[in-house]
Amino acid sequence: MPNFLIIGTQKGGTTSLYNYLIQHPQILAASAKEVHFFDFNFSKGINWYRSQFPAIVDNQNTITGEASPYYLFHPLVPARVYQHFPQLKLIVLLRDPITRALSHYYHEVRLGFENLSLSEAISKEAERMQGEIEKIIADENYYSYNHQHYSYLSRGIYIEQLQRWQKYFPSQQFLIIKSEDFYANPGAIVQEVLKFLELPDRQFNEYKSYNAGDYPRNINPEIYSQLKTYFQPYNQQLETYLGKKIDW
């Protein structure tokens, strides 16, 4: 069974962090970095999920976990995780929602899932997302393509996502990290995560970037200003909620 989950955010460094952690001799990797049990594969049952992890021998002091960044955003996941693993440690990477949204958009373009221009995709998000959360909640087997792929703005409203998770889990079970801090000093953040997981420090020879997706830096200033205005009140609410300055 897992001891920890990296639950998000998408395009926030989760792949790099997970790949660093599984280099630690006391952290065993799951069958895949993103098992996606609590969002896409919940109908397969808890025994299937357990089979995705290596057997843990108590006297070896080893742990295991996975990293599925859609977990943070999916409305049904917190209750599902709590139902089966109420003691799990939860790791959250939060990236500046503007750069996260831009990286997300160009990621979808590269994968062939997005055909609209950036400005069109942003303006049509509300229309694309209309009613999708209600459908997910009403039918636990419903899969929303739009909710997964076209949630450029919605995924950056971190305050709502954290509040949904913390209805079930106390704050001491969370480690919340700014992605920018992780990018700037991955070694220090990895040590912070290992301390949170109650494991001994470990320095690695290399901290290469995994699954990095670049995007053009010549973004239309009007779009950037629009995103800044959109996210500002949510960022302020997040700072109040966390009790610390975010500086995005």
Side-chain angles (χ1 to χ4, degrees):
M1 60 174 283
N3 304 91
F4 70 90
L5 294 178
I6 301 175
I7 60 175
T9 184
Q10 182 199 35
K11 308 310 295 178
T14 61
T15 302
S16 292
L17 178 58
Y18 187 73
N19 278 280
Y20 302 156
L21 291 179
I22 61 175
Q23 295 177 50
H24 193 286
Q26 290 174 241
I27 300 180
L28 306 181
S31 61
K33 174 243 179 180
E34 298 185 22
V35 179
H36 280 296
F37 172 65
F38 295 103
D39 46 21
F40 301 150
N41 295 308
F42 197 64
S43 63
K44 293 182 177 180
I46 193 63
N47 289 334
W48 176 87
Y49 187 54
R50 290 179 184 274
S51 73
Q52 305 307 303
F53 298 93
I56 299 295
V57 179
D58 290 341
N59 61 9
Q60 292 181 347
N61 297 317
T62 53
I63 66 172
T64 187
E66 58 134 331
S68 296
Y70 192 33
Y71 286 171
L72 180 65
F73 185 57
H74 194 287
L76 298 182
V77 170
R80 290 172 171 178
V81 175
Y82 184 76
Q83 174 187 350
H84 292 288
F85 304 107
Q87 303 303 320
L88 271 182
K89 294 192 174 185
L90 304 165
I91 300 165
V92 187
L93 288 158
L94 299 181
R95 182 180 182 181
D96 181 331
I98 296 176
T99 57
R100 197 223 65 82
L102 295 172
S103 182
H104 182 181
Y105 168 79
Y106 285 102
H107 177 71
E108 300 294 342
V109 169
R110 282 192 298 272
L111 293 176
F113 296 144
E114 180 58 88
N115 297 313
L116 299 182
S117 69
L118 175 59
S119 61
E120 289 174 325
I122 291 172
S123 66
K124 286 188 175 294
E125 178 169 335
E127 177 184 334
R128 284 168 150 182
M129 293 283 285
Q130 180 67 37
E132 291 304 299
I133 293 177
E134 291 79 5
K135 291 176 184 177
I136 293 171
I137 293 173
D139 179 0
E140 65 176 17
N141 295 314
Y142 175 75
Y143 165 68
S144 173
Y145 184 94
N146 286 11
H147 187 268
Q148 181 187 5
H149 294 285
Y150 300 145
S151 43
Y152 310 116
L153 301 179
S154 306
R155 287 191 193 231
I157 306 175
Y158 302 131
I159 177 65
E160 294 179 357
Q161 297 164 60
L162 289 175
Q163 287 176 329
R164 184 164 59 234
W165 273 88
Q166 292 190 346
K167 287 180 181 178
Y168 297 92
F169 296 90
S171 58
Q172 61 265 28
Q173 285 179 234
F174 290 85
L175 178 62
I176 299 172
I177 301 163
K178 277 178 61 178
S179 296
E180 292 78 15
D181 294 340
F182 175 54
Y183 300 149
N185 195 344
I189 295 300
V190 168
Q191 300 316 305
E192 184 179 351
V193 174
L194 292 176
K195 182 178 180 181
F196 175 67
L197 296 176
E198 300 180 76
L199 293 176
D201 289 352
R202 186 81 172 187
Q203 293 292 335
F204 305 112
N205 295 328
E206 184 181 16
Y207 293 95
K208 71 175 185 179
S209 180
Y210 291 82
N211 197 32
D214 201 6
Y215 62 88
R217 294 303 188 262
N218 58 338
I219 301 297
N220 184 320
E222 291 184 7
I223 295 178
Y224 195 89
S225 178
Q226 177 186 352
L227 292 173
K228 184 176 180 180
T229 300
Y230 179 85
F231 286 120
Q232 184 176 15
Y234 298 116
N235 291 343
Q236 290 174 339
Q237 291 174 38
L238 181 65
E239 288 184 339
T240 301
Y241 185 71
L242 297 178
K244 61 181 180 181
K245 195 73 174 172
I246 302 297
D247 288 329
W248 283 328

